Amino acid sequence: MADHRALSEPDGIGLDWGTSSCRAYLLGDQGVILARSQGPAGLRSINPGRGGDPAAFDRAFEQLCGGWLDTWPGLPVIACGMVGSRRGWVEAPYRELPTDLVDPALTCARVRTRRGVELNVIPGLVDLRGLRGVIRGEETQLAGLLGAGLGDGEEDVVLPGTHSKWVRLKGSVVTGFTTFMTGELYELLSRQSILADLIHPVTQPQWTAFDRGVDTAAGAVTDGTGLLGVLFSARTLPLTGAMAETDVADYLSGLVIGTELASARASWVRGTGGQLWSLADSGLSARYRRAALRLGWQAVHVLEDAAARGLWRTAKAVGLIGSRASTPGTKQDTAPKEGR
Amino acid sequence: MADHRALSEPDGIGLDWGTSSCRAYLLGDQGVILARSQGPAGLRSINPGRGGDPAAFDRAFEQLCGGWLDTWPGLPVIACGMVGSRRGWVEAPYRELPTDLVDPALTCARVRTRRGVELNVIPGLVDLRGLRGVIRGEETQLAGLLGAGLGDGEEDVVLPGTHSKWVRLKGSVVTGFTTFMTGELYELLSRQSILADLIHPVTQPQWTAFDRGVDTAAGAVTDGTGLLGVLFSARTLPLTGAMAETDVADYLSGLVIGTELASARASWVRGTGGQLWSLADSGLSARYRRAALRLGWQAVHVLEDAAARGLWRTAKAVGLIGSRASTPGTKQDTAPKEGR
């Protein structure tokens, strides 16, 4: 196929459409990002109530992708994230675990836009065992990780964030996941709690303070004290002169991230915990990588822009991209791209 | 002394003066409460900035205690709590552990009110070991517990609240304490987090939901998952139909209180953990008692109004009440009241 098309000719459009923002990607071969546009058109701003407003979704969609579709009217469009929730544009019912991320039989929910384009929305995953779990959007980031060098056995993937996910992946199959409310708890504590007065953000992370938090948290996981029993030290240490106030923000960051990693290592990771895959932006990834190496992992692999790659890969799996590639003149392109 | 005075004649005035409120007590023998008055005159409203405003403290004091002092001008006045902090009326420097709560050599900070009365402020405690700890006000509640049937060995006392304290008490000596940010975390999660939408307060506690939270939390302390790793179930369980929305508030309450108790039992309690002393209002005490019995304690003793008793007992220990009793005609009262 690549022989017949300019290198920059897009395969499709992918949207990572969540609660707080929408990121749109013009996707080339293998999910390489040819162009991107981003808007604040998250569900929170589009659809603050519980009722849906298709017109608002449509406007946001046109704003982000209209120009691309004017140029390439036939591009397939695929989306992931909360846009597929009950409060989104079209509901894409959850798939139950275990789930093959690139199952050709995967059914996307579909909605036709005003322009006449079909938006394909990837369903999230639900785990109906134990404490239950749901993800929407992360399944697509995970699909983006496939082919990035994962082994054949069960691998541990962390998706750090507001609600960090820990996922067990065996090949392309998700066998389990769990959630840590790390990012949200950090926000609450640093902005709304009694600790807020002590949080003085600095431009460069105070790594020594961060490490101190990680070590304290790990000790507290081991001896059972837990995060709830050490959080107050972010107040008493500076109050008694045992910590500079400028260190408190990163100490607190170390406490919560260290708790997540040490807890996951104690209770979630099944194998040797030798390597960890991390999908996050660079700022968070640096913190998770540092803490993970400190707590016993030997290697932490970080992948950015996993959503874009995952959108492309899922579109390929369900034939959205394959069908476009099968136009006259590209018939010879029958070998799967997955192996490249 | 009691021979010479009417039963209702007060020994003194005690103030439990914290961040959010001030409770004033007219105290009789052994700290029995003859009258009480309460105002919203906590430090937060009196002194929101960092600078002090003695006049505002004085006005609040007059409002709460002026009438009593008009009737009994010579009454000694003793206070505990944040009124003795750097941002309070007069700073009462911390005492270091170990601390005898009824040490006759204890020095109160003093400030003379506009009326000419001397306000004696009980210092808090500081632990300069490990993660550090400070308390202000709780030390007086603990003093109120003395003589209530504590054993001779080390006893565990919990003071549930915004920042729950766990204290080791040996006789009248505090040998250690630690803090769990349980109450504050519950407030943040139930009001500001993604869980807030699901919190529907009900008039009667949903005990089954509370117990479910306690059990989940205890399991998570044992296996290392911790609170951070189970909090999200307060969202996923109702979302997947595995919990009624009306149960979420008490489930979350069970999660945080259960975490505190299970963590303390795992990491803090040294002995057999047979009995626990709890100082809190009745609503919280019922929750702590229920969870504690569920998690292995054999008996939970609850004491209310401990602050009033502790104010009296401390005033007695430092001679504030003794000196008043030594007015002519009461000279025969030289035996300590402690033993009654």
Side-chain angles (χ1 to χ4, degrees):
Chain A
M1 182 171 73
D3 308 331
H4 297 260
R5 292 157 64 193
L7 251 180
S8 64
E9 189 162 352
D11 275 2
I13 291 172
L15 296 115
D16 181 5
W17 204 329
T19 304
S20 57
S21 74
C22 179
R23 294 161 205 258
Y25 304 101
L26 187 66
L27 299 169
D29 190 31
Q30 298 298 319
V32 67
I33 298 169
L34 304 176
R36 56 175 95 207
S37 67
Q38 182 172 349
L43 259 67
R44 199 179 290 138
S45 60
I46 284 191
N47 189 10
R50 281 180 183 268
D53 180 7
F57 283 104
D58 216 318
R59 277 193 300 276
F61 175 75
E62 274 298 314
Q63 211 168 9
L64 292 172
C65 308
W68 297 336
L69 288 167
D70 288 344
T71 310
W72 298 282
L75 282 185
V77 186
I78 193 165
C80 69
M82 294 302 282
V83 70
S85 71
R86 208 167 296 171
R87 297 172 61 181
W89 197 350
V90 58
E91 187 176 357
Y94 293 109
R95 288 170 284 169
E96 276 186 44
L97 294 195
T99 308
D100 187 339
L101 293 169
V102 287
D103 183 353
L106 160 66
T107 309
C108 288
R110 292 196 183 98
V111 61
R112 191 165 292 276
T113 72
R114 205 174 41 187
R115 175 189 282 267
V117 164
E118 203 159 60
L119 181 77
N120 297 272
V121 181
I122 302 168
L125 309 185
V126 62
D127 186 354
L128 293 176
R129 302 165 298 186
L131 292 180
R132 314 295 177 101
V134 290
I135 59 182
R136 267 203 197 278
E138 291 93 343
E139 77 293 330
T140 304
Q141 291 180 263
L142 290 164
L145 183 60
L146 303 177
L150 287 167
D152 290 334
E154 213 161 49
E155 301 271 1
D156 293 308
V157 187
V158 59
L159 298 99
T162 305
H163 304 141
S164 287
K165 304 292 178 188
W166 284 74
V167 183
R168 285 193 197 109
L169 206 54
K170 187 167 167 54
S172 60
V173 177
V174 175
T175 59
F177 59 84
T178 192
T179 305
F180 288 83
M181 276 182 66
T182 313
E184 179 156 14
L185 204 69
Y186 182 80
E187 287 299 310
L188 289 172
L189 291 168
S190 61
R191 294 187 185 182
Q192 316 271 354
S193 82
I194 196 175
L195 306 176
D197 278 353
L198 299 165
I199 302 294
H200 308 295
V202 286
T203 46
Q204 277 299 99
Q206 306 291 308
W207 287 122
T208 310
F210 178 80
D211 291 347
R212 187 173 176 184
V214 170
D215 294 347
T216 300
V221 168
T222 303
D223 75 10
T225 307
L227 181 62
L228 199 58
V230 294
L231 273 179
F232 204 61
S233 64
R235 182 174 167 83
T236 51
L237 287 168
L239 193 67
T240 55
M243 177 179 286
E245 282 207 14
T246 47
D247 279 353
V248 176
D250 284 310
Y251 176 68
L252 182 61
S253 168
L255 281 183
V256 295
I257 291 175
T259 298
E260 176 186 333
L261 285 158
S263 298
R265 199 166 172 83
S267 65
W268 180 255
V269 172
R270 278 175 173 168
T272 56
Q275 62 178 1
L276 180 64
W277 299 84
S278 172
L279 307 180
D281 67 55
S282 55
L284 259 191
S285 275
R287 290 176 185 268
Y288 273 75
R289 183 207 288 267
R290 184 177 179 100
L293 294 174
R294 201 164 178 90
L295 296 180
W297 276 276
Q298 255 115 58
V300 181
H301 312 288
V302 176
L303 193 74
E304 295 192 33
D305 286 326
R309 254 186 292 261
L311 285 160
W312 181 90
R313 199 167 283 271
T314 310
K316 185 72 168 54
V318 299
L320 277 174
I321 286 181
S323 61
R324 181 176 170 273
S326 306
T327 49
T330 63
K331 279 284 182 197
Q332 74 276 29
D333 181 40
T334 49
K337 277 182 176 171
E338 297 297 306
R340 281 198 195 175
Chain B
M1 181 170 76
D3 307 333
H4 297 260
R5 293 157 61 194
L7 251 181
S8 63
E9 190 163 351
D11 275 1
I13 291 172
L15 296 115
D16 180 5
W17 204 330
T19 303
S20 57
S21 73
C22 179
R23 293 162 205 257
Y25 303 101
L26 188 65
L27 299 170
D29 190 32
Q30 298 298 321
V32 68
I33 299 170
L34 304 177
R36 55 176 96 208
S37 68
Q38 183 173 349
L43 260 66
R44 199 180 290 136
S45 61
I46 284 192
N47 189 11
R50 279 181 185 269
D53 178 6
F57 283 103
D58 216 319
R59 276 192 302 274
F61 175 75
E62 274 299 314
Q63 211 167 10
L64 292 172
C65 308
W68 296 336
L69 287 167
D70 288 344
T71 310
W72 298 281
L75 281 185
V77 185
I78 192 163
C80 69
M82 294 302 282
V83 69
S85 71
R86 208 166 298 169
R87 296 172 61 182
W89 197 348
V90 58
E91 187 176 358
Y94 293 108
R95 286 171 286 170
E96 276 187 45
L97 294 196
T99 308
D100 187 340
L101 292 169
V102 286
D103 184 352
L106 160 66
T107 308
C108 287
R110 293 194 181 99
V111 59
R112 191 165 291 278
T113 73
R114 206 176 38 189
R115 176 189 282 266
V117 164
E118 203 159 60
L119 180 78
N120 296 273
V121 181
I122 302 169
L125 309 184
V126 62
D127 186 354
L128 294 176
R129 303 164 297 186
L131 292 179
R132 312 298 177 100
V134 291
I135 59 182
R136 264 202 199 281
E138 290 93 344
E139 78 293 328
T140 304
Q141 290 181 261
L142 290 164
L145 183 59
L146 303 178
L150 286 168
D152 291 334
E154 212 158 49
E155 302 271 1
D156 292 308
V157 186
V158 59
L159 298 99
T162 305
H163 303 142
S164 286
K165 305 292 177 189
W166 284 74
V167 182
R168 283 193 198 111
L169 206 53
K170 190 169 165 51
S172 60
V173 177
V174 175
T175 60
F177 60 84
T178 191
T179 305
F180 288 83
M181 275 181 66
T182 311
E184 178 156 14
L185 204 68
Y186 182 79
E187 287 298 310
L188 290 172
L189 290 167
S190 62
R191 295 188 185 184
Q192 315 271 354
S193 82
I194 196 175
L195 305 177
D197 279 352
L198 299 165
I199 303 293
H200 308 295
V202 286
T203 45
Q204 278 298 97
Q206 304 292 306
W207 288 122
T208 309
F210 178 80
D211 291 347
R212 188 174 177 184
V214 169
D215 294 347
T216 300
V221 168
T222 303
D223 76 9
T225 307
L227 181 62
L228 199 58
V230 294
L231 272 179
F232 204 61
S233 64
R235 182 173 168 80
T236 52
L237 287 169
L239 194 66
T240 57
M243 176 176 287
E245 282 206 14
T246 47
D247 280 354
V248 177
D250 284 310
Y251 176 68
L252 182 61
S253 168
L255 280 183
V256 295
I257 291 175
T259 298
E260 177 187 332
L261 284 159
S263 298
R265 199 164 170 84
S267 65
W268 180 255
V269 172
R270 277 177 175 166
T272 57
Q275 61 179 0
L276 180 65
W277 299 84
S278 173
L279 307 181
D281 66 57
S282 56
L284 259 190
S285 275
R287 289 174 185 269
Y288 273 74
R289 182 208 288 266
R290 184 177 179 98
L293 294 175
R294 202 165 178 88
L295 296 180
W297 276 276
Q298 255 115 57
V300 181
H301 311 288
V302 175
L303 194 75
E304 295 192 31
D305 287 326
R309 255 186 292 260
L311 285 160
W312 182 90
R313 200 168 282 273
T314 310
K316 184 75 169 56
V318 300
L320 276 173
I321 286 181
S323 61
R324 180 175 170 272
S326 307
T327 49
T330 63
K331 278 285 183 198
Q332 74 274 35
D333 180 38
T334 49
K337 277 181 177 172
E338 296 298 306
R340 283 196 197 178

